[in-house]
Amino acid sequence: MSNKFLHIATLLTALLILTGCHSQKQALSAPDGMSRELKAAGLNVDALSAKQGDKWLKALAGTYTSWERMSLDGSLSIKELPLDPSVKIYMERGKLLILSLRVPLLGEVGRAEIAADTALVVNRRGKCYTKIPTASLLNRVGVSLSDFQDLLLGRVFLAGSAPLAKDNVDLFQVSEAAGGNFIVTPRKQRDDAEYGFTLYPDGKMLLAVAFTTDEAYLLQSQYSYKNSDTSLSLDITAGKRHYNGTLTYGAPDLKAKPMERISLNPKWKAVSLAKLVTSF
């Protein structure tokens, strides 16, 4: 079990960090290690006019169902693991995200709760936990809890600001790529890293990518769909380390009942985040 949850924790941590990457370029260049699909997405790109881009983005924003509370049920698959733990995610828009990991016979083995002020990660089997300010986990890299929620849902967003909406389409630029796909990038961003989104012609997310300009960190998030299921494949490079896994979940439950917050056992030990990761 130790390799499993070390891998999962690293994936989640790297994902949160890398969603804060930014770009000044319209079309993303491809660093070493980038997938063939992503390299292809950046070829033969033609920028839409501002009028065309705004029209397309407004139509896309119109497909985003508003929500205040939802839950997702699915599984997490990692190639090296003999079984796929089930995953339950409960979210309140911009306020709370709870991720629960369960395995057969053992029940819940790990949980992460990210709220507006505090992020709590618990290893039930190891009887330990860590608490850190949410700001130190998210805000320092210019990303919000809402951004992370939008990434899970395959929605375009402005890192640290707001999701795509009909009243902010002028903050994005759109290019048409090979196969009729579209590349969307925010106009105003930092210059030390790049991020952007590739979408299918129908507006569903195909790829979300972020990488630092020194190519030390790379996140590729690829989406596929079957009936009402969404598969989110994460491929992360952090220095010399490489991680990947696939989160698959069904249609969101927009009438989800609030998920009970975890009660910490007074006998459990408070440890640093680094120690918690290695405790799994």
Side-chain angles (χ1 to χ4, degrees):
M1 300 293 288
S2 60
N3 288 338
K4 171 192 293 185
F5 293 106
L6 173 60
H7 199 131
I8 292 171
T10 305
L11 274 171
L12 293 175
T13 302
L15 178 59
L16 286 170
I17 292 172
L18 288 173
T19 50
C21 294
H22 300 267
S23 171
Q24 292 285 2
K25 299 180 180 179
Q26 179 175 348
L28 299 177
S29 58
D32 293 339
M34 187 166 286
S35 70
R36 181 182 305 172
E37 293 84 0
L38 187 54
K39 290 179 180 179
L43 298 176
N44 303 317
V45 173
D46 294 317
L48 299 185
S49 68
K51 184 177 181 179
Q52 290 175 316
D54 287 358
K55 180 180 179 180
W56 189 86
L57 288 169
K58 284 181 180 179
L60 175 62
T63 67
Y64 290 172
T65 302
S66 60
W67 64 278
E68 294 300 323
R69 190 170 65 212
M70 77 162 62
S71 65
L72 304 168
D73 290 296
S75 63
L76 184 64
S77 176
I78 297 175
K79 183 173 61 175
E80 294 83 359
L81 304 181
L83 52 84
D84 297 342
S86 63
V87 177
K88 184 174 184 64
I89 299 174
Y90 170 77
M91 300 191 294
E92 295 177 6
R93 180 71 183 170
K95 297 178 181 179
L96 177 67
L97 184 149
I98 300 176
L99 185 148
S100 173
L101 296 173
R102 296 176 175 270
V103 296
L105 302 180
L106 296 177
E108 185 179 68
V109 293
R111 177 185 285 222
E113 296 185 356
I114 305 175
D117 56 350
T118 304
L120 170 67
V121 185
V122 177
N123 177 353
R124 280 188 177 273
R125 296 191 69 219
K127 299 179 180 179
C128 60
Y129 66 93
T130 188
K131 282 186 178 182
I132 54 178
T134 301
S136 68
L137 183 65
L138 298 175
N139 297 353
R140 66 181 179 182
V141 291
V143 57
S144 69
L145 178 56
S146 293
D147 298 337
F148 186 50
Q149 293 171 335
D150 286 329
L151 187 71
L152 287 175
L153 297 175
R155 296 185 176 188
V156 173
F157 59 87
L158 287 167
S161 179
L164 171 68
K166 291 183 178 181
D167 60 357
N168 66 9
V169 295
D170 59 319
L171 301 179
F172 297 86
Q173 52 191 9
V174 185
S175 297
E176 188 170 6
N181 296 325
F182 293 89
I183 294 177
V184 178
T185 54
R187 296 180 183 275
K188 185 178 180 182
Q189 307 170 29
R190 296 191 318 224
D191 59 3
D192 57 346
E194 303 185 11
Y195 84 113
F197 311 91
T198 299
L199 296 94
Y200 289 107
D202 64 359
K204 285 187 176 182
M205 187 72 73
L206 168 59
L207 293 164
V209 61
F211 56 89
T212 55
T213 52
D214 61 7
E215 302 181 11
Y217 296 91
L218 166 67
L219 164 68
Q220 298 175 83
S221 178
Q222 186 168 352
Y223 301 76
S224 59
Y225 309 90
K226 184 177 182 180
N227 299 323
S228 61
D229 288 348
T230 298
S231 289
L232 171 55
S233 296
L234 303 174
D235 200 311
I236 296 168
T237 299
K240 295 182 179 180
R241 297 181 180 274
H242 185 78
Y243 306 94
N244 56 68
T246 300
L247 173 66
T248 300
Y249 56 86
D253 178 2
L254 299 177
K255 297 181 179 180
K257 295 181 180 179
M259 189 171 177
E260 185 176 353
R261 305 288 291 273
I262 195 168
S263 295
L264 294 176
N265 189 313
K267 295 182 180 180
W268 292 353
K269 185 178 180 180
V271 298
S272 68
L273 180 59
K275 287 186 178 181
L276 183 83
V277 169
T278 57
S279 74
F280 280 111

